[in-house]
């Protein structure tokens, strides 16, 4: 473990690049609070709930996002954003100029920590997610990849036959030691700030899609054809990946991650019945293996384009269901069991609108998430932050999240 894991950043000492919303200030010790503006129409608001689930006093000292992901009562919806760290921030672009290789940025502990903390230093979200890539563990199972600046991830070798399966082996966690080192350091920085540290993994099917296609695809023709013509081959590969993904997730938890998000990024490209037979079994295996070792760590499952999958996602055993922006949050609240937390789902394009529109979208999402009765809700976008999003808009989003409270 790097000596850097013993260091701490005084997060109350904000850098000159820190970008605070006009209505937000920093309390001593680094926590953010809202300060009312006389006559402002955007002062703190409340969302009415008809009843409240009993609070768990044993976990009241845990960070708010951790509690919400577990389905516990919180005073407001905690917030973070997918792709929270990245090219929309000037400070990230400056760092990327110095370190142009994405693999270098995402596989060097010191850089992972710095990049992961950039949005936290700027906006004080309730969650900090590890800066990494869903393909990061592939070399650890015998499948190398590179990232082309134009086309994204590229795999020189693919699996399209039974013989090709020989390249895969059990995950070698020593090849992802930088992930564990970064998470341990991040946890040291965040303890006491009220923020939750999130780790993440790609689902077996999403990883398998890259392994079969060789790169990002628009049609997913090769992997879908394999699902229809050689389902046993595909399912065998996904079963092996399920074990590797579970071990990688447990490794992240043991290094400091408090919540794990599973990205079934391409699962929404499958018809619901095909998702049920192809993607779901390996996800369920992954979840069960993680829960065997870490039953109290909340797991969130997000699939882009998942409007037709919400009930199926809820049945996998996850604690929290990620909802993309194409689903009305009130409809999602009706469709999902009351014991499942929800995450989402403001349209990322809203962040290109004016401040009033952003605040209205946040309040609407928070209200609708509770429209079918109280439940855990983690406020997020319905997809990742878009490149070119104004940083001031991100600040407005997080400010609004901290000013929108549930009725007691």
């Amino acid at each position: 473990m790097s000596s850097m894991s013993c260091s701490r950043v005084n997060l109350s000492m904000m850098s000159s690049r820190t970008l605070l919303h006009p209505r937000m200030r920093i309390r001593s010790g680094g926590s953010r609070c809202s300060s009312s503006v006389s006559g402002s129409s955007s002062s703190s608001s409340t969302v009415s709930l008809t009843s409240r689930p009993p609070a768990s006093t044993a976990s009241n000292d845990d960070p708010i996002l951790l509690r919400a992901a577990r389905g516990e009562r919180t005073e407001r919806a905690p917030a973070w954003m997918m792709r929270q760290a990245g090219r929309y921030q000037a400070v990230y672009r400056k760092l990327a100029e110095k370190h142009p290789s994405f693999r270098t940025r995402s596989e060097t502990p010191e850089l992972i920590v710095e990049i992961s903390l950039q949005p936290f230093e700027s906006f004080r979200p309730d969650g900090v997610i590890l800066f990494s890539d869903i393909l990061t563990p592939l070399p650890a199972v015998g499948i190398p990849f590179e990232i082309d600046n134009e086309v994204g991830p590229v795999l020189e070798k693919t699996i399209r036959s039974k013989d090709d399966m020989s390249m895969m082996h059990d995950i070698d966690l020593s090849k992802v030691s930088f992930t564990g080192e970064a998470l341990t350091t991040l946890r040291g920085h965040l303890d006491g700030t009220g923020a939750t540290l999130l780790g993440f993994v790609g689902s077996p099917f999403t990883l398998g899609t890259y392994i079969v296609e060789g790169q990002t695809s628009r049609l997913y023709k090769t992997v879908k054809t394999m699902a229809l013509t050689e389902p046993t081959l595909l399912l065998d590969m996904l079963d092996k990946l399920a074990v590797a993904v579970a071990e990688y997730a447990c490794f992240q938890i043991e290094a400091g991650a408090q919540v794990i998000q599973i990205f079934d990024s391409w699962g929404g490209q499958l018809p619901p019945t095909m998702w049920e037979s192809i993607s779901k079994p390996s996800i369920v295996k992954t979840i069960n293996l993680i829960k065997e070792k870490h039953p109290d760590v909340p797991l969130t499952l997000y699939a882009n384009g998942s409007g037709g999958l919400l009930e199926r996602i809820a049945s996998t055993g996850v604690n929290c269901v990620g909802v993309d922006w194409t689903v009305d949050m009130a409809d999602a609240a009706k469709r999902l069991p009351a014991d499942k937390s929800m995450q989402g789902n403001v349209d990322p394009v809203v962040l290109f609108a004016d401040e009033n529109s952003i605040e209205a979208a946040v309040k609407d999402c928070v209200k609708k998430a509770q429209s079918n009765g109280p439940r855990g809700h983690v406020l997020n976008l319905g997809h990742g932050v878009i490149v070119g999003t104004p940083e001031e808009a991100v600040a407005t989003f997080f400010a609004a999240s901290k000013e929108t409270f549930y009725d007691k």
Side-chain angles (χ1 to χ4, degrees):
M1 195 64 65
S2 166
S3 60
M4 145 174 220
S5 63
C6 298
S7 66
R8 281 182 175 269
V9 170
N10 183 351
L11 291 171
S12 64
M13 299 298 293
M14 306 299 286
S15 67
S16 58
R17 67 175 180 264
T18 298
L19 213 161
L20 295 179
H21 188 272
R23 296 194 313 279
M24 304 299 285
R25 58 186 171 84
I26 301 297
R27 286 194 183 112
S28 60
S31 63
R32 174 178 279 183
C33 64
S34 62
S35 57
S36 61
V37 179
S38 178
S40 171
S41 61
S42 55
S43 58
S44 299
S45 61
T46 60
V47 174
S48 295
L49 300 180
T50 56
S51 61
R52 301 302 298 267
S56 173
T57 55
S59 61
N60 281 350
D61 291 335
D62 286 339
I64 185 173
L65 192 151
L66 177 58
R67 290 186 281 125
R70 287 196 298 232
E72 298 176 20
R73 185 178 74 182
T74 55
E75 61 273 20
R76 59 177 176 82
W80 70 282
M81 290 182 178
M82 291 182 281
R83 293 183 185 163
Q84 188 165 271
R87 287 178 289 169
Y88 75 96
Q89 277 201 282
V91 64
Y92 175 87
R93 296 194 298 273
K94 184 176 180 180
L95 183 146
E97 289 176 2
K98 188 183 299 184
H99 305 281
S101 166
F102 180 86
R103 292 287 297 273
T104 297
R105 296 195 296 274
S106 62
E107 297 181 10
T108 305
E110 294 80 3
L111 295 178
I112 297 171
V113 170
E114 182 176 356
I115 294 168
S116 300
L117 289 175
Q118 284 174 347
F120 185 67
E121 293 179 351
S122 295
F123 313 116
R124 279 301 197 273
D126 295 297
V128 171
I129 190 165
L130 174 77
F131 180 78
S132 187
D133 190 88
I134 60 171
L135 300 188
T136 292
L138 286 190
V141 297
I143 301 174
F145 74 96
E146 296 297 334
I147 294 184
D148 185 282
N149 289 334
E150 299 297 326
V151 300
V154 177
L155 282 67
E156 183 178 337
K157 297 180 180 180
T158 59
I159 292 181
R160 298 185 179 179
S161 70
K162 187 174 181 180
D163 289 342
D164 292 337
M165 287 284 290
S166 62
M167 74 174 74
M168 286 187 65
H169 55 68
D170 293 344
I171 191 166
D172 179 358
L173 293 172
S174 69
K175 292 188 176 180
V176 287
S177 59
F178 49 84
T179 296
E181 192 171 332
L183 282 166
T184 300
T185 305
L186 283 166
R187 183 65 180 273
H189 288 324
L190 295 176
D191 278 349
T193 67
T196 297
L197 178 59
L198 298 95
F200 74 92
V201 292
S203 73
F205 175 74
T206 291
L207 296 181
T209 296
Y210 282 102
I211 294 170
V212 173
E213 298 282 351
Q215 62 183 55
T216 301
S217 172
R218 301 184 96 181
L219 299 176
Y220 308 93
K221 182 175 66 176
T222 306
V223 71
K224 283 186 175 182
T225 301
M226 182 183 288
L228 294 169
T229 61
E230 297 186 84
T232 301
L233 172 61
L234 180 57
L235 289 171
D236 284 349
M237 179 181 67
L238 297 183
D239 190 69
K240 291 180 183 296
L241 285 171
V243 176
V245 169
E247 288 189 34
Y248 186 46
C250 289
F251 174 68
Q252 292 187 35
I253 293 166
E254 288 151 17
Q258 296 165 286
V259 175
I260 295 291
Q261 174 142 325
I262 302 169
F263 284 93
D264 193 21
S265 303
W266 309 133
Q269 300 299 317
L270 297 175
T273 54
M274 185 178 283
W275 186 88
E276 186 85 27
S277 62
I278 297 297
S279 185
K280 181 180 176 180
S282 57
I283 289 175
V284 170
K285 181 169 184 174
T286 296
I287 290 167
N288 288 341
L289 289 171
I290 297 170
K291 290 292 187 181
E292 283 178 11
K293 292 187 72 174
H294 301 285
D296 297 326
V297 173
L299 305 179
T300 299
L301 177 57
Y302 171 85
N304 188 32
S306 61
L309 302 175
L310 290 184
E311 294 86 352
R312 289 173 167 88
I313 288 174
S315 70
T316 60
V318 291
N319 305 85
C320 184
V321 176
V323 183
D324 77 9
W325 83 97
T326 64
V327 180
D328 187 276
M329 207 57 158
D331 292 339
K334 292 176 184 176
R335 293 170 58 186
L336 292 171
D339 64 342
K340 296 296 179 184
S341 296
M342 297 196 301
Q343 179 175 280
N345 75 336
V346 174
D347 184 346
V349 174
V350 168
L351 298 182
F352 289 89
D354 60 89
E355 183 175 310
N356 289 337
S357 297
I358 297 169
E359 291 171 346
V362 166
K363 292 174 184 177
D364 180 67
C365 181
V366 171
K367 181 178 181 179
K368 286 181 175 178
Q370 307 298 329
S371 62
N372 200 44
R375 70 166 77 232
H377 176 215
V378 177
L379 180 65
N380 206 311
L381 301 178
H383 197 267
V385 183
I386 299 170
V387 176
T389 296
E391 293 187 56
E392 293 80 3
V394 176
T396 297
F397 177 95
F398 285 121
S401 77
K402 298 201 178 205
E403 295 171 349
T404 305
F405 295 89
Y406 302 135
D407 285 339
K408 294 183 179 180

